[in-house]
Amino acid sequence: MKASYHNVDNSPGSSFAIKLFEDKIFPAAWHFHSQYELTYMLSSTGVRYIGDSMGDFKHGDLVLVGSNLPHSWKTIGEQTEKVRCIIIQWDDSFFGDWLNKEELKPIKKLLKLSARGIKFNELKSKEMEGSLIELIHLSPLERLLSFIRILQKLTFFEDFELLASTSFSDNLSLKESGRINLIYDYVRKNHIKQIRLHEIAEKVSMSKEAFCRFFKKTFNKSFFEFVNEYKISLASKLLIGTDYSISQVGYEVGYNNLSFFHRQFNKFKGMSPSKYRQNYRKILKVS
């Protein structure tokens, strides 16, 4: 994998890295590193890219990314709160041969699954928020022991989602990775208007035919499926965070045909926009 490579340094006095990240946006482009990464979202919303998968993130989002798996978090739309998340990173030397010990076999299995990226159950993840925050303030030894306990707890989570498909290409060249970043940025800036295939193909210096083959091979979906998935992610945020009417939400994310907006929302969310909003508000009343 030759996507944009990020070097990761361990925290002072520790055999792994941990930080509380705070900023207006996520500055990192689509990138990878040899370390495993556990990210817990404390605030902000947007879209998460893991391999060829795309999904919404918000408070309570807990994701484990495997070694060398490309990923990126992107804030979308107007932000009412800054990005705050806990990021923990470690490499294979962290456990060494200990992963072959009987006691650590469940963690070894978890790390193997992380090659596709793992999103854990949100309610269960929020129960671990206090322990994750506490890690930042512990002494190095206590931090180490507490982190291993956190990984152990994750092995008991039965409700999780594997993100990247098994067919995701892990042999992208540096040039192809640059193209993907250009595609992400172009869709983010132009999703309101009708994106034409020849325009995006020209942006990445490809013919329309070559672009379609490249995108399908890399993401296991067509470019326009990707665009609609992005728009529906943005629509989900507006349904939750505003009182816009359903039709206004559709227009805001770039759909002039509202019946098409409803069909796409049902396709990606498995329910209508109004049902999605109702379900979210029911959850708020319960909590």
Side-chain angles (χ1 to χ4, degrees), residues 92-148:
D92 283 326
S93 67
F94 178 76
F95 285 108
D97 291 337
W98 279 82
L99 275 183
N100 294 319
K101 302 290 184 182
E102 194 66 30
E103 294 86 348
L104 294 185
K105 281 186 177 179
I107 293 179
K108 182 178 181 180
K109 180 181 178 182
L110 183 73
L111 297 182
K112 186 175 181 180
L113 288 174
S114 73
R116 291 177 57 189
I118 305 172
K119 178 186 181 301
F120 297 99
N121 175 274
E122 185 178 312
L123 293 177
K124 288 282 189 180
S125 298
K126 285 183 176 179
E127 292 176 3
M128 299 184 66
E129 183 172 305
S131 298
L132 288 164
I133 293 174
E134 185 184 39
L135 276 180
I136 300 169
H137 308 291
L138 293 174
S139 66
L141 179 57
E142 288 300 320
R143 181 187 299 154
L144 170 66
L145 297 174
S146 182
F147 175 53
I148 293 175

Side-chain angles (χ1 to χ4, degrees), residues 199-244:
E199 293 175 349
I200 184 63
E202 287 175 2
K203 278 287 181 183
V204 294
S205 304
M206 302 176 80
S207 68
K208 290 193 297 183
E209 294 74 16
F211 174 80
C212 289
R213 289 194 298 270
F214 162 72
F215 201 91
K216 184 72 173 180
K217 177 184 177 183
T218 304
F219 290 94
N220 201 32
K221 66 184 75 172
S222 73
F223 172 68
F224 288 110
E225 281 182 285
F226 176 88
V227 172
N228 281 303
E229 193 173 0
Y230 179 85
K231 289 182 177 182
I232 296 306
S233 292
L234 183 53
S236 301
K237 179 183 176 181
L238 292 177
L239 288 168
I240 290 172
T242 73
D243 291 322
Y244 291 171

